[in-house]
Amino acid sequence: MSDLKKNWGASARESEKSEKDSRKTSSKIEKSKRSDRTKPTAGSGSVKSRNDGGKSGRVGGNRDADAGGKKDRTRMQKRLNRLSFIMGGLVVVVLLVGLLIYYLQSSTKKVSGITAEEVLALAASNISSIDESTQEWEFSYDMEGSYGGSTYLNTLSLGVDFMEQQSEGVAYMEVTQKMVNQTDDEDAETASSSAVSYIEEQSDGWYNYSSTDDGAWYYAVVEEETADILLREKNFLTTLHGLDVTWTLAERTKRVEKQHAYVLTAEIPAEEAMELLNFFDMALVSEDATGYLTGKTVEITYAIYEESGLPAEISISFTELYQQIWDEMLTEETATDTDADSDSGTDEDSDDSEDDTDTAEDDSELTVNKYDATIIFTGYEVEEDIVVPDEAKDTATLEEAAGWTEPEAKEWYDYFIENRGTDLEGLYGITEDNYESVSEEEWESIYYHEIGY
């Protein structure tokens, strides 16, 4: 019995010891599991436990990856917000700089400390020194009216890019022209053309080489007074400065080619304005109509660069003058027709259609919306030397040999009747039976009267 007790006691102690060892082992295993969950690795973020097949490690790694991803997204969002703020600031700065540049290039300033006479004297002292120049010429008109029961619309825009090197004896000109004619509600007829011209001084004289839309080159020998346009402009400016008129200096400058320019205005007698146009071979009215200019004026605007004292822009408005001339012409024609009717008496058997035509002609009118000419002096230095193309010199045909002749009477007659619908018989007494007896000067006079340039 005592041996049984001894064996049971030993067994119990052994079992207790084994249980303690088991608990210790379990505790170590649990600690190992917890340690495995928190140990980082380069790949997954935790060490896989041997006992659980790595499940606890993967779960812990995913939690850490999510937390890390959120932090990365937060940092990225902050960077994007910062970048957006910087870009927005840059856009605002660029806009402000752009507005500042626009303001500096377009703003005007108050004129003080100088008179109109002093400005003119400054420009006059610089005119003779001009040797090179680049310019833009603009000439345009817009007229509408009614005659013979029909309405008419006529517009013209003429643009010229011009540059000259006077000491080199060479100049370049590019001309574009567009004319629109419309009668009643018919489709408008548009005619456009362009031409390029070179003028060069050679050993035996001045040559003008020109090419039109057809691409062919023509040449003509011209007089120096006609060829040297810059010389003509200098004479024009000298004459302009010599006019006995009162110039008014504007209170503020204007921008011409982004530069400040003084602005002078004056009312010039119409006859003297026509003389100025003669420098450019332009005529507003024919010689037999110069009487209509008496007592009338035109407004001229003359801008002079503030810094250089050179001409900047010259603009002449003929709108009011041309309207006055036409009104007087129509009044005279109406009075002439009335006197003729009074002298001939009234024919009771006259055709009603003729009465309608007479009534329509009595209601004739013309409105001049615009009739302006402008020269802009864009610069006083030609960037690249002007050179006449070899093609022009090698292939140009003499204008006379190419058939450049004045229109024949038949061409004049067809032009006015078919192209413009002009009542030549009613206005000028020209019919199909007598048009061949009309002189060239008379045709040109009619042209000036009808077209105006």
Side-chain angles (χ1 to χ4, degrees):
M1 185 72 170
S2 64
D3 291 337
L4 181 63
K5 287 182 180 178
K6 288 179 182 178
N7 291 334
W8 180 84
S11 178
R13 285 193 296 273
E14 186 68 23
S15 175
E16 182 177 359
K17 181 180 178 182
S18 177
E19 185 177 354
K20 287 181 179 180
D21 292 337
S22 178
R23 285 199 297 270
K24 288 180 180 180
T25 300
S26 297
S27 177
K28 289 179 180 179
I29 291 172
E30 185 63 31
K31 288 180 179 179
S32 177
K33 289 180 178 179
R34 288 197 297 270
S35 177
D36 288 343
R37 294 191 192 105
T38 58
K39 288 181 180 179
T41 68
S44 63
S46 65
V47 177
K48 296 181 181 179
S49 171
R50 295 174 184 173
N51 297 328
D52 63 3
K55 293 180 180 179
S56 61
R58 287 195 295 272
V59 172
N62 289 337
R63 290 198 192 101
D64 291 343
D66 291 343
K70 289 181 179 178
K71 290 180 180 179
D72 289 341
R73 286 195 295 273
T74 301
R75 284 195 295 270
M76 180 61 72
Q77 187 62 47
K78 289 181 178 179
R79 290 176 183 172
L80 289 174
N81 290 341
R82 193 180 304 115
L83 181 62
S84 298
F85 178 77
I86 294 173
M87 293 301 294
L90 288 174
V91 170
V92 172
V93 171
V94 170
L95 287 174
L96 290 175
V97 171
L99 289 173
L100 177 61
I101 293 174
Y102 174 77
Y103 173 77
L104 292 175
Q105 292 181 346
S106 61
S107 63
T108 62
K109 63 181 182 181
K110 185 177 179 61
V111 175
S112 61
I114 193 168
T115 64
E117 291 74 17
E118 291 171 338
V119 172
L120 287 168
L122 177 64
S125 65
N126 291 321
I127 290 174
S128 61
S129 65
I130 299 175
D131 180 61
E132 296 185 0
S133 179
T134 59
Q135 304 169 21
E136 293 178 1
W137 303 353
E138 300 172 0
F139 176 74
S140 60
Y141 66 68
D142 181 337
M143 297 182 290
E144 56 184 315
S146 61
Y147 181 81
S150 296
T151 58
Y152 300 92
L153 172 66
N154 184 221
T155 66
L156 171 72
S157 60
L158 178 70
V160 178
D161 289 331
F162 168 78
M163 56 183 177
E164 179 173 349
Q165 294 173 292
Q166 191 174 38
S167 60
E168 301 296 327
V170 62
Y172 168 83
M173 183 183 299
E174 182 175 356
V175 182
T176 57
Q177 176 178 295
K178 180 179 180 180
M179 178 179 286
V180 178
N181 291 297
Q182 184 176 15
T183 303
D184 296 326
D185 295 329
E186 298 177 2
D187 293 338
E189 297 180 0
T190 302
S192 300
S193 63
S194 62
V196 172
S197 177
Y198 289 88
I199 302 172
E200 183 181 54
E201 183 181 15
Q202 299 181 9
S203 58
D204 57 343
W206 287 78
Y207 284 74
N208 182 2
Y209 298 91
S210 60
S211 177
T212 55
D213 294 328
D214 61 4
W217 285 95
Y218 303 91
Y219 78 91
V221 181
V222 292
E223 298 293 332
E224 180 179 1
E225 293 76 12
T226 302
D228 194 343
I229 297 176
L230 197 53
L231 176 62
R232 294 161 69 181
E233 284 188 338
K234 290 180 181 180
N235 294 334
F236 166 85
L237 291 168
T238 301
T239 303
L240 179 65
H241 280 260
L243 293 178
D244 185 17
V245 295
T246 301
W247 291 93
T248 301
L249 178 62
E251 295 182 354
R252 302 191 68 85
T253 63
K254 70 173 291 187
R255 289 282 187 166
V256 180
E257 296 297 304
K258 300 179 182 179
Q259 301 178 54
H260 285 287
Y262 299 114
V263 181
L264 300 154
T265 55
E267 291 290 332
I268 296 178
E271 296 95 334
E272 295 184 354
M274 295 304 106
E275 292 180 6
L276 290 175
L277 290 181
N278 288 336
F279 285 106
F280 302 98
D281 292 332
M282 295 177 61
L284 185 68
V285 296
S286 58
E287 293 184 3
D288 61 349
T290 54
Y292 292 104
L293 301 175
T294 305
K296 299 179 179 62
T297 61
V298 297
E299 182 180 82
I300 184 169
T301 303
Y302 184 18
I304 298 170
Y305 287 117
E306 177 190 44
E307 185 173 346
S308 66
L310 289 165
E313 181 179 309
I314 299 174
S315 179
I316 306 177
S317 175
F318 299 102
T319 305
E320 185 176 347
L321 172 65
Y322 209 73
Q323 183 70 65
Q324 292 173 346
I325 293 174
W326 270 100
D327 289 344
E328 288 186 18
M329 287 182 173
L330 291 175
T331 299
E332 290 179 0
E333 289 178 3
T334 301
T336 301
D337 292 341
T338 300
D339 292 341
D341 291 341
S342 299
D343 294 339
S344 61
T346 303
D347 185 359
E348 295 180 358
D349 298 328
S350 61
D351 192 347
D352 291 340
S353 61
E354 294 182 2
D355 293 340
D356 293 340
T357 302
D358 291 341
T359 302
E361 291 179 357
D362 291 341
D363 293 336
S364 299
E365 61 180 15
L366 176 74
T367 301
V368 182
N369 299 317
K370 181 181 181 181
Y371 209 114
D372 299 333
T374 301
I375 300 177
I376 302 173
F377 298 86
T378 56
Y380 287 94
E381 182 177 347
V382 177
E383 295 182 359
E384 297 183 5
D385 289 342
I386 304 169
V387 179
V388 181
D390 291 337
E391 179 188 2
K393 294 184 177 181
D394 296 340
T395 66
T397 304
L398 185 63
E399 287 185 1
E400 295 177 359
W404 287 45
T405 59
E406 294 292 338
E408 299 291 339
K410 181 70 165 62
E411 294 175 312
W412 279 116
Y413 185 79
D414 290 344
Y415 170 76
F416 286 113
I417 296 296
E418 297 177 6
N419 293 4
R420 298 194 57 82
T422 306
D423 183 14
L424 290 177
E425 182 177 4
L427 292 173
Y428 308 103
I430 300 175
T431 66
E432 190 173 3
D433 297 329
N434 64 11
Y435 71 81
E436 292 184 353
S437 63
V438 180
S439 68
E440 181 67 29
E441 290 73 19
E442 289 177 301
W443 283 120
E444 290 181 354
S445 176
I446 295 171
Y447 182 85
Y448 284 124
H449 186 277
E450 294 294 323
I451 309 299
Y453 69 94

